Amino acid sequence: MKPELAARGDGSLVAIPYDGSFSLLDTLKSGQLFHWESFRFGEFDGYAGCIGGAPPSFIAQLESGAVLTLKGDCERVAGYFGLDHRMEEIHATFPSNDPVLRAAIAYCPGIRIVRQPVWECLATFITSSLKQVTHIRAISMTLRQRYGVAHQFGGRTFYAYPEPAVLAAAGEEALRQCSLGYRAKSLHLAAVAIGAGRIDLNAIEREPSLSRARESLMQLHGVGEKIANCALLFSAGQWGAFPIDVWIERILREHYRKRVKGPKLQQWAVKHFGVNAGYAQQYLFHFARKTL
DNA sequence: AGTCAGGCAACGC
DNA sequence: GCGTTGCCTGAC
């Protein structure tokens, strides 16, 4: 038993059961998560990172497909990576006569919609505006290292995403020093509003109505349709949310002959792809990035 | 050197 | 309602 793992059970790994197809690598690369780091645990190569304020979690996937995690983390990790999703039921809600979506699923069948803590998801996507993945990752890591709670794990240090009150106290200028540019203002204002309880993320997470939840988030400066939809899809279980970025717009234009934009395009997508449109979006997004 | 990237808000019509 | 423009920053 490794001493640093003593806080969580006996430090041994267990397999998380799941249905259908799951690819840890595709899910980590899918643009939903930006802070997981390669990590070797005993004989297993996997990834480690913080989920909310909890001590770092470890996850690995064997060639057999089996997913391993620390015994005490099983439930948290399974929920986070969507391993409890019933994929057959989700796929059954997709349009049956859509060859593009079919091809996208065949291309990366193992992608899951993750379920992150709402604040770190929202905050990360606020900082993602007009940025590339590598830079989003760099910003996330800087914010974590400067303002997040540090945890020792396996001889390394991992950082939780900083709480709203901490970023609010840091101030806009300090956030700007994390390469945030004009996004510093948005992140700071969001941290202030949420820290002060003016925006209640717990209530938004529980809100059953997608449009009401989205309206609430869009009150925040710097949060438009796209970022609100990302936050709700990747952290609140709102699988009907359909974020439209340049890649999705591209694939809808080139493969579905849709030339409209904005809310019209979104309405069409939700009608076409159904109640789990956001899940379809994730397959299409990955497909578009690789093939367009 | 200039352009562009996984958006948004503010402004003009 | 629509379309246009500025915005921080780093990568190419």
Side-chain angles (χ1 to χ4, degrees), chain A residues 204-255:
Chain A
I204 290 171
E205 183 176 10
R206 286 193 306 267
E207 169 61 62
S209 158
L210 170 59
S211 55
R212 272 202 287 276
R214 192 162 44 210
E215 291 311 311
S216 301
L217 285 181
M218 287 174 61
Q219 291 176 64
L220 292 165
H221 183 272
V223 180
E225 299 262 2
K226 195 274 181 181
I227 291 174
N229 279 325
C230 281
L232 291 169
L233 177 59
F234 304 144
S235 75
Q238 289 279 13
W239 295 345
F242 193 89
I244 298 176
D245 55 34
V246 295
W247 290 104
I248 288 296
E249 198 177 302
R250 215 170 280 174
I251 199 168
L252 293 184
R253 189 173 58 236
E254 296 190 12
H255 286 307

CSV table of all heavy atoms in Angstrom, one decimal, chain A residues 204-255:
chain,number,residue,atom,x,y,z
A,204,ILE,N,-29.3,26.0,-11.2
A,204,ILE,CA,-29.2,25.8,-12.7
A,204,ILE,C,-29.0,24.4,-13.0
A,204,ILE,O,-29.5,23.8,-14.0
A,204,ILE,CB,-28.1,26.7,-13.2
A,204,ILE,CG1,-28.5,28.2,-13.1
A,204,ILE,CG2,-27.8,26.4,-14.7
A,204,ILE,CD1,-27.5,29.2,-13.5
A,205,GLU,N,-28.1,23.7,-12.2
A,205,GLU,CA,-27.9,22.3,-12.5
A,205,GLU,C,-29.1,21.4,-12.3
A,205,GLU,O,-29.4,20.5,-13.0
A,205,GLU,CB,-26.8,21.7,-11.5
A,205,GLU,CG,-26.4,20.3,-11.8
A,205,GLU,CD,-25.3,19.8,-11.0
A,205,GLU,OE1,-24.9,20.5,-10.0
A,205,GLU,OE2,-24.8,18.7,-11.2
A,206,ARG,N,-30.0,21.8,-11.4
A,206,ARG,CA,-31.2,21.1,-11.1
A,206,ARG,C,-32.4,21.5,-12.0
A,206,ARG,O,-33.4,20.8,-12.1
A,206,ARG,CB,-31.7,21.3,-9.7
A,206,ARG,CG,-30.9,20.6,-8.7
A,206,ARG,CD,-31.6,20.6,-7.3
A,206,ARG,NE,-31.9,21.9,-6.9
A,206,ARG,CZ,-31.1,22.7,-6.1
A,206,ARG,NH1,-30.0,22.2,-5.7
A,206,ARG,NH2,-31.5,23.9,-5.7
A,207,GLU,N,-32.2,22.7,-12.7
A,207,GLU,CA,-33.3,23.2,-13.5
A,207,GLU,C,-33.6,22.2,-14.7
A,207,GLU,O,-32.8,21.9,-15.5
A,207,GLU,CB,-32.9,24.5,-14.1
A,207,GLU,CG,-33.8,25.1,-15.2
A,207,GLU,CD,-35.2,25.3,-14.7
A,207,GLU,OE1,-35.4,26.1,-13.8
A,207,GLU,OE2,-36.2,24.6,-15.2
A,208,PRO,N,-34.9,21.7,-14.7
A,208,PRO,CA,-35.2,20.7,-15.8
A,208,PRO,C,-35.3,21.4,-17.1
A,208,PRO,O,-35.1,20.7,-18.1
A,208,PRO,CB,-36.5,20.1,-15.3
A,208,PRO,CG,-37.1,21.0,-14.3
A,208,PRO,CD,-35.9,21.8,-13.7
A,209,SER,N,-35.7,22.6,-17.2
A,209,SER,CA,-35.9,23.3,-18.5
A,209,SER,C,-34.6,23.8,-19.0
A,209,SER,O,-34.0,24.6,-18.5
A,209,SER,CB,-36.9,24.4,-18.3
A,209,SER,OG,-36.7,25.3,-19.4
A,210,LEU,N,-34.2,23.2,-20.2
A,210,LEU,CA,-33.0,23.6,-20.9
A,210,LEU,C,-33.0,25.1,-21.2
A,210,LEU,O,-32.0,25.8,-20.9
A,210,LEU,CB,-32.8,22.8,-22.1
A,210,LEU,CG,-31.7,23.3,-23.1
A,210,LEU,CD1,-30.3,23.2,-22.4
A,210,LEU,CD2,-31.6,22.4,-24.3
A,211,SER,N,-34.1,25.6,-21.7
A,211,SER,CA,-34.1,27.0,-22.1
A,211,SER,C,-34.0,27.9,-20.9
A,211,SER,O,-33.3,29.0,-20.9
A,211,SER,CB,-35.3,27.4,-22.9
A,211,SER,OG,-36.5,27.0,-22.3
A,212,ARG,N,-34.7,27.6,-19.8
A,212,ARG,CA,-34.5,28.4,-18.6
A,212,ARG,C,-33.1,28.4,-18.0
A,212,ARG,O,-32.6,29.4,-17.6
A,212,ARG,CB,-35.6,28.0,-17.5
A,212,ARG,CG,-36.9,28.6,-17.6
A,212,ARG,CD,-37.7,28.6,-16.3
A,212,ARG,NE,-38.2,27.3,-16.0
A,212,ARG,CZ,-39.4,26.8,-16.5
A,212,ARG,NH1,-40.1,27.5,-17.3
A,212,ARG,NH2,-39.8,25.6,-16.2
A,213,ALA,N,-32.5,27.2,-18.0
A,213,ALA,CA,-31.2,27.1,-17.5
A,213,ALA,C,-30.2,27.9,-18.3
A,213,ALA,O,-29.3,28.6,-17.8
A,213,ALA,CB,-30.7,25.6,-17.5
A,214,ARG,N,-30.4,27.9,-19.6
A,214,ARG,CA,-29.6,28.6,-20.6
A,214,ARG,C,-29.7,30.1,-20.4
A,214,ARG,O,-28.8,30.9,-20.4
A,214,ARG,CB,-29.9,28.2,-22.0
A,214,ARG,CG,-28.9,28.7,-23.0
A,214,ARG,CD,-29.1,27.9,-24.3
A,214,ARG,NE,-30.5,27.7,-24.7
A,214,ARG,CZ,-30.9,26.7,-25.4
A,214,ARG,NH1,-30.1,25.7,-25.8
A,214,ARG,NH2,-32.2,26.6,-25.7
A,215,GLU,N,-31.0,30.5,-20.2
A,215,GLU,CA,-31.2,32.0,-20.0
A,215,GLU,C,-30.5,32.4,-18.7
A,215,GLU,O,-29.9,33.5,-18.7
A,215,GLU,CB,-32.7,32.3,-19.8
A,215,GLU,CG,-33.5,32.1,-21.1
A,215,GLU,CD,-32.9,32.8,-22.3
A,215,GLU,OE1,-32.6,34.0,-22.1
A,215,GLU,OE2,-32.8,32.2,-23.3
A,216,SER,N,-30.5,31.6,-17.7
A,216,SER,CA,-29.9,32.0,-16.4
A,216,SER,C,-28.4,32.2,-16.7
A,216,SER,O,-27.8,33.2,-16.2
A,216,SER,CB,-30.1,30.9,-15.4
A,216,SER,OG,-31.4,30.7,-15.1
A,217,LEU,N,-27.8,31.2,-17.3
A,217,LEU,CA,-26.3,31.3,-17.6
A,217,LEU,C,-26.0,32.5,-18.5
A,217,LEU,O,-24.9,33.2,-18.3
A,217,LEU,CB,-25.8,30.0,-18.2
A,217,LEU,CG,-25.7,28.8,-17.3
A,217,LEU,CD1,-25.1,27.6,-18.0
A,217,LEU,CD2,-24.8,29.1,-16.1
A,218,MET,N,-26.8,32.8,-19.4
A,218,MET,CA,-26.5,33.8,-20.4
A,218,MET,C,-26.7,35.2,-19.8
A,218,MET,O,-26.3,36.2,-20.4
A,218,MET,CB,-27.4,33.7,-21.6
A,218,MET,CG,-26.9,32.5,-22.5
A,218,MET,SD,-28.0,32.2,-23.9
A,218,MET,CE,-27.9,33.7,-24.8
A,219,GLN,N,-27.2,35.3,-18.5
A,219,GLN,CA,-27.1,36.6,-17.9
A,219,GLN,C,-25.7,37.0,-17.6
A,219,GLN,O,-25.4,38.2,-17.4
A,219,GLN,CB,-27.8,36.5,-16.5
A,219,GLN,CG,-29.3,36.3,-16.5
A,219,GLN,CD,-29.8,36.1,-15.1
A,219,GLN,OE1,-29.8,37.1,-14.3
A,219,GLN,NE2,-30.4,35.0,-14.8
A,220,LEU,N,-24.8,36.1,-17.5
A,220,LEU,CA,-23.4,36.4,-17.2
A,220,LEU,C,-22.7,37.0,-18.5
A,220,LEU,O,-22.9,36.5,-19.6
A,220,LEU,CB,-22.7,35.1,-16.9
A,220,LEU,CG,-23.1,34.4,-15.5
A,220,LEU,CD1,-22.5,33.0,-15.5
A,220,LEU,CD2,-22.5,35.3,-14.4
A,221,HIS,N,-22.0,38.0,-18.2
A,221,HIS,CA,-21.2,38.7,-19.2
A,221,HIS,C,-20.2,37.7,-19.8
A,221,HIS,O,-19.5,37.0,-19.1
A,221,HIS,CB,-20.4,39.9,-18.6
A,221,HIS,CG,-19.7,40.7,-19.6
A,221,HIS,ND1,-18.4,40.4,-20.0
A,221,HIS,CD2,-20.0,41.7,-20.4
A,221,HIS,CE1,-18.0,41.2,-20.9
A,221,HIS,NE2,-18.9,42.0,-21.2
A,222,GLY,N,-20.2,37.6,-21.1
A,222,GLY,CA,-19.2,36.7,-21.8
A,222,GLY,C,-19.8,35.3,-22.0
A,222,GLY,O,-19.1,34.4,-22.5
A,223,VAL,N,-21.0,35.1,-21.6
A,223,VAL,CA,-21.6,33.7,-21.8
A,223,VAL,C,-22.8,33.9,-22.8
A,223,VAL,O,-23.8,34.5,-22.5
A,223,VAL,CB,-22.2,33.1,-20.5
A,223,VAL,CG1,-22.8,31.8,-20.7
A,223,VAL,CG2,-21.0,33.0,-19.5
A,224,GLY,N,-22.5,33.4,-24.0
A,224,GLY,CA,-23.6,33.4,-25.0
A,224,GLY,C,-24.1,32.0,-25.2
A,224,GLY,O,-23.9,31.1,-24.4
A,225,GLU,N,-24.8,31.8,-26.3
A,225,GLU,CA,-25.4,30.5,-26.6
A,225,GLU,C,-24.4,29.4,-26.5
A,225,GLU,O,-24.7,28.3,-25.9
A,225,GLU,CB,-26.1,30.5,-28.0
A,225,GLU,CG,-27.1,31.6,-28.2
A,225,GLU,CD,-28.5,31.0,-28.1
A,225,GLU,OE1,-28.6,29.8,-27.8
A,225,GLU,OE2,-29.5,31.7,-28.3
A,226,LYS,N,-23.3,29.6,-27.2
A,226,LYS,CA,-22.4,28.5,-27.4
A,226,LYS,C,-21.8,28.0,-26.0
A,226,LYS,O,-21.8,26.8,-25.7
A,226,LYS,CB,-21.3,28.9,-28.3
A,226,LYS,CG,-20.4,27.7,-28.8
A,226,LYS,CD,-19.3,27.4,-27.9
A,226,LYS,CE,-18.5,26.3,-28.5
A,226,LYS,NZ,-17.4,25.9,-27.5
A,227,ILE,N,-21.3,29.0,-25.2
A,227,ILE,CA,-20.7,28.6,-23.9
A,227,ILE,C,-21.8,28.1,-23.0
A,227,ILE,O,-21.5,27.1,-22.2
A,227,ILE,CB,-20.0,29.8,-23.4
A,227,ILE,CG1,-18.7,30.1,-24.3
A,227,ILE,CG2,-19.6,29.6,-21.9
A,227,ILE,CD1,-18.0,31.4,-23.9
A,228,ALA,N,-23.0,28.7,-23.0
A,228,ALA,CA,-24.0,28.2,-22.1
A,228,ALA,C,-24.4,26.8,-22.5
A,228,ALA,O,-24.5,25.9,-21.6
A,228,ALA,CB,-25.3,29.1,-22.2
A,229,ASN,N,-24.5,26.5,-23.7
A,229,ASN,CA,-24.8,25.1,-24.2
A,229,ASN,C,-23.7,24.1,-23.8
A,229,ASN,O,-23.9,23.0,-23.3
A,229,ASN,CB,-25.0,25.1,-25.7
A,229,ASN,CG,-26.5,25.5,-26.0
A,229,ASN,OD1,-27.4,25.2,-25.2
A,229,ASN,ND2,-26.6,26.2,-27.1
A,230,CYS,N,-22.4,24.5,-23.9
A,230,CYS,CA,-21.3,23.7,-23.5
A,230,CYS,C,-21.4,23.4,-22.0
A,230,CYS,O,-21.3,22.2,-21.6
A,230,CYS,CB,-20.0,24.3,-23.8
A,230,CYS,SG,-19.5,24.2,-25.6
A,231,ALA,N,-21.6,24.4,-21.2
A,231,ALA,CA,-21.6,24.2,-19.8
A,231,ALA,C,-22.8,23.3,-19.4
A,231,ALA,O,-22.6,22.4,-18.6
A,231,ALA,CB,-21.8,25.5,-19.1
A,232,LEU,N,-23.9,23.4,-20.0
A,232,LEU,CA,-25.1,22.6,-19.6
A,232,LEU,C,-24.9,21.2,-20.1
A,232,LEU,O,-25.3,20.2,-19.4
A,232,LEU,CB,-26.4,23.2,-20.2
A,232,LEU,CG,-26.7,24.6,-19.5
A,232,LEU,CD1,-27.8,25.3,-20.3
A,232,LEU,CD2,-27.1,24.3,-18.0
A,233,LEU,N,-24.3,21.0,-21.3
A,233,LEU,CA,-24.2,19.7,-21.9
A,233,LEU,C,-23.1,18.9,-21.1
A,233,LEU,O,-23.3,17.7,-20.8
A,233,LEU,CB,-23.8,19.8,-23.3
A,233,LEU,CG,-23.5,18.5,-24.1
A,233,LEU,CD1,-24.7,17.5,-24.1
A,233,LEU,CD2,-23.1,18.8,-25.5
A,234,PHE,N,-22.0,19.5,-20.8
A,234,PHE,CA,-20.9,18.8,-20.2
A,234,PHE,C,-20.9,18.8,-18.6
A,234,PHE,O,-20.0,18.3,-18.0
A,234,PHE,CB,-19.5,19.4,-20.7
A,234,PHE,CG,-19.4,19.5,-22.1
A,234,PHE,CD1,-18.7,20.5,-22.8
A,234,PHE,CD2,-19.9,18.4,-22.9
A,234,PHE,CE1,-18.6,20.6,-24.2
A,234,PHE,CE2,-19.8,18.5,-24.3
A,234,PHE,CZ,-19.1,19.5,-24.9
A,235,SER,N,-21.9,19.5,-18.0
A,235,SER,CA,-21.8,19.5,-16.6
A,235,SER,C,-23.2,19.4,-15.9
A,235,SER,O,-23.3,19.1,-14.7
A,235,SER,CB,-21.2,20.8,-16.0
A,235,SER,OG,-22.0,21.9,-16.2
A,236,ALA,N,-24.3,19.5,-16.7
A,236,ALA,CA,-25.6,19.5,-16.0
A,236,ALA,C,-26.5,18.4,-16.5
A,236,ALA,O,-27.7,18.3,-16.2
A,236,ALA,CB,-26.3,20.9,-16.2
A,237,GLY,N,-25.9,17.5,-17.4
A,237,GLY,CA,-26.8,16.4,-17.9
A,237,GLY,C,-27.8,16.9,-18.9
A,237,GLY,O,-28.8,16.1,-19.1
A,238,GLN,N,-27.7,18.1,-19.5
A,238,GLN,CA,-28.7,18.6,-20.4
A,238,GLN,C,-28.2,18.1,-21.8
A,238,GLN,O,-27.7,18.9,-22.6
A,238,GLN,CB,-28.7,20.1,-20.4
A,238,GLN,CG,-29.4,20.7,-19.1
A,238,GLN,CD,-30.9,20.6,-19.2
A,238,GLN,OE1,-31.5,20.0,-20.1
A,238,GLN,NE2,-31.6,21.3,-18.3
A,239,TRP,N,-28.6,16.9,-22.1
A,239,TRP,CA,-28.1,16.3,-23.4
A,239,TRP,C,-28.8,16.8,-24.6
A,239,TRP,O,-28.5,16.5,-25.8
A,239,TRP,CB,-28.2,14.8,-23.4
A,239,TRP,CG,-27.3,14.2,-22.3
A,239,TRP,CD1,-26.2,14.8,-21.7
A,239,TRP,CD2,-27.3,12.8,-21.8
A,239,TRP,NE1,-25.6,13.9,-20.8
A,239,TRP,CE2,-26.3,12.7,-20.9
A,239,TRP,CE3,-28.1,11.7,-22.1
A,239,TRP,CZ2,-26.1,11.5,-20.2
A,239,TRP,CZ3,-27.9,10.5,-21.4
A,239,TRP,CH2,-26.9,10.4,-20.5
A,240,GLY,N,-29.9,17.6,-24.4
A,240,GLY,CA,-30.5,18.3,-25.5
A,240,GLY,C,-29.8,19.5,-25.9
A,240,GLY,O,-30.1,20.1,-27.0
A,241,ALA,N,-28.9,20.0,-25.1
A,241,ALA,CA,-28.2,21.2,-25.5
A,241,ALA,C,-27.2,20.9,-26.7
A,241,ALA,O,-26.6,19.9,-26.7
A,241,ALA,CB,-27.3,21.7,-24.3
A,242,PHE,N,-27.2,21.8,-27.6
A,242,PHE,CA,-26.5,21.6,-28.9
A,242,PHE,C,-25.6,22.8,-29.2
A,242,PHE,O,-26.0,23.7,-29.9
A,242,PHE,CB,-27.5,21.4,-30.0
A,242,PHE,CG,-26.9,20.8,-31.3
A,242,PHE,CD1,-26.8,19.5,-31.5
A,242,PHE,CD2,-26.5,21.7,-32.3
A,242,PHE,CE1,-26.3,18.9,-32.7
A,242,PHE,CE2,-25.9,21.2,-33.5
A,242,PHE,CZ,-25.8,19.8,-33.7
A,243,PRO,N,-24.4,22.8,-28.6
A,243,PRO,CA,-23.4,23.9,-28.9
A,243,PRO,C,-23.0,23.9,-30.4
A,243,PRO,O,-22.7,22.9,-30.9
A,243,PRO,CB,-22.2,23.5,-28.0
A,243,PRO,CG,-22.6,22.4,-27.1
A,243,PRO,CD,-23.8,21.7,-27.8
A,244,ILE,N,-23.1,25.1,-30.9
A,244,ILE,CA,-22.6,25.2,-32.3
A,244,ILE,C,-21.4,26.1,-32.4
A,244,ILE,O,-21.4,27.3,-32.2
A,244,ILE,CB,-23.7,25.8,-33.2
A,244,ILE,CG1,-25.0,24.9,-33.2
A,244,ILE,CG2,-23.3,26.1,-34.6
A,244,ILE,CD1,-26.2,25.5,-33.9
A,245,ASP,N,-20.3,25.4,-32.7
A,245,ASP,CA,-19.0,26.2,-32.9
A,245,ASP,C,-18.7,26.1,-34.4
A,245,ASP,O,-19.5,25.6,-35.2
A,245,ASP,CB,-17.9,25.6,-32.1
A,245,ASP,CG,-17.7,24.1,-32.3
A,245,ASP,OD1,-17.9,23.7,-33.4
A,245,ASP,OD2,-17.4,23.4,-31.4
A,246,VAL,N,-17.5,26.6,-34.8
A,246,VAL,CA,-17.2,26.6,-36.2
A,246,VAL,C,-17.1,25.2,-36.8
A,246,VAL,O,-17.5,25.1,-38.0
A,246,VAL,CB,-15.8,27.3,-36.4
A,246,VAL,CG1,-15.9,28.8,-36.0
A,246,VAL,CG2,-14.7,26.6,-35.7
A,247,TRP,N,-16.7,24.2,-36.0
A,247,TRP,CA,-16.7,22.9,-36.6
A,247,TRP,C,-18.0,22.3,-36.8
A,247,TRP,O,-18.3,21.7,-37.9
A,247,TRP,CB,-15.9,22.0,-35.6
A,247,TRP,CG,-14.4,22.3,-35.6
A,247,TRP,CD1,-13.8,23.0,-34.6
A,247,TRP,CD2,-13.5,22.0,-36.6
A,247,TRP,NE1,-12.5,23.1,-34.9
A,247,TRP,CE2,-12.2,22.6,-36.2
A,247,TRP,CE3,-13.5,21.4,-37.8
A,247,TRP,CZ2,-11.1,22.5,-36.9
A,247,TRP,CZ3,-12.4,21.3,-38.6
A,247,TRP,CH2,-11.2,21.8,-38.1
A,248,ILE,N,-18.9,22.5,-35.9
A,248,ILE,CA,-20.3,22.0,-36.1
A,248,ILE,C,-21.0,22.7,-37.2
A,248,ILE,O,-21.7,22.1,-38.0
A,248,ILE,CB,-21.1,22.1,-34.8
A,248,ILE,CG1,-20.5,21.1,-33.8
A,248,ILE,CG2,-22.5,21.9,-35.0
A,248,ILE,CD1,-20.7,19.6,-34.1
A,249,GLU,N,-20.8,24.0,-37.2
A,249,GLU,CA,-21.4,24.8,-38.3
A,249,GLU,C,-20.9,24.3,-39.7
A,249,GLU,O,-21.6,24.2,-40.6
A,249,GLU,CB,-21.0,26.3,-38.1
A,249,GLU,CG,-21.9,27.2,-38.9
A,249,GLU,CD,-21.5,28.7,-38.6
A,249,GLU,OE1,-21.6,29.0,-37.4
A,249,GLU,OE2,-21.2,29.4,-39.6
A,250,ARG,N,-19.6,24.0,-39.7
A,250,ARG,CA,-19.0,23.5,-40.9
A,250,ARG,C,-19.6,22.2,-41.4
A,250,ARG,O,-19.9,22.0,-42.6
A,250,ARG,CB,-17.5,23.3,-40.7
A,250,ARG,CG,-16.6,23.6,-41.8
A,250,ARG,CD,-15.1,23.6,-41.4
A,250,ARG,NE,-14.7,24.9,-40.7
A,250,ARG,CZ,-13.5,25.1,-40.2
A,250,ARG,NH1,-12.6,24.1,-40.1
A,250,ARG,NH2,-13.3,26.2,-39.6
A,251,ILE,N,-19.7,21.2,-40.4
A,251,ILE,CA,-20.2,19.9,-40.8
A,251,ILE,C,-21.7,20.0,-41.2
A,251,ILE,O,-22.2,19.3,-42.1
A,251,ILE,CB,-20.0,18.8,-39.7
A,251,ILE,CG1,-20.1,17.4,-40.4
A,251,ILE,CG2,-20.9,19.0,-38.6
A,251,ILE,CD1,-19.6,16.3,-39.5
A,252,LEU,N,-22.5,20.9,-40.5
A,252,LEU,CA,-23.9,21.0,-40.9
A,252,LEU,C,-24.0,21.7,-42.2
A,252,LEU,O,-24.9,21.4,-43.0
A,252,LEU,CB,-24.6,21.9,-39.8
A,252,LEU,CG,-24.8,21.2,-38.4
A,252,LEU,CD1,-25.6,22.1,-37.5
A,252,LEU,CD2,-25.4,19.8,-38.5
A,253,ARG,N,-23.1,22.6,-42.5
A,253,ARG,CA,-23.2,23.2,-43.8
A,253,ARG,C,-22.8,22.3,-45.0
A,253,ARG,O,-23.4,22.2,-46.0
A,253,ARG,CB,-22.2,24.4,-43.8
A,253,ARG,CG,-22.4,25.4,-45.1
A,253,ARG,CD,-21.6,26.6,-44.9
A,253,ARG,NE,-20.2,26.4,-44.7
A,253,ARG,CZ,-19.5,26.8,-43.7
A,253,ARG,NH1,-20.0,27.5,-42.7
A,253,ARG,NH2,-18.2,26.5,-43.6
A,254,GLU,N,-21.7,21.5,-44.7
A,254,GLU,CA,-21.1,20.7,-45.8
A,254,GLU,C,-21.8,19.4,-46.0
A,254,GLU,O,-21.9,18.8,-47.1
A,254,GLU,CB,-19.6,20.6,-45.6
A,254,GLU,CG,-18.9,21.9,-45.7
A,254,GLU,CD,-17.4,21.8,-45.8
A,254,GLU,OE1,-16.9,20.7,-46.0
A,254,GLU,OE2,-16.8,22.9,-45.6
A,255,HIS,N,-22.3,18.8,-44.9
A,255,HIS,CA,-22.9,17.5,-45.0
A,255,HIS,C,-24.4,17.5,-44.9
A,255,HIS,O,-25.1,16.5,-45.3
A,255,HIS,CB,-22.3,16.5,-43.9
A,255,HIS,CG,-20.9,16.1,-44.2
A,255,HIS,ND1,-20.6,15.5,-45.4
A,255,HIS,CD2,-19.8,16.1,-43.4
A,255,HIS,CE1,-19.3,15.2,-45.3
A,255,HIS,NE2,-18.8,15.6,-44.2
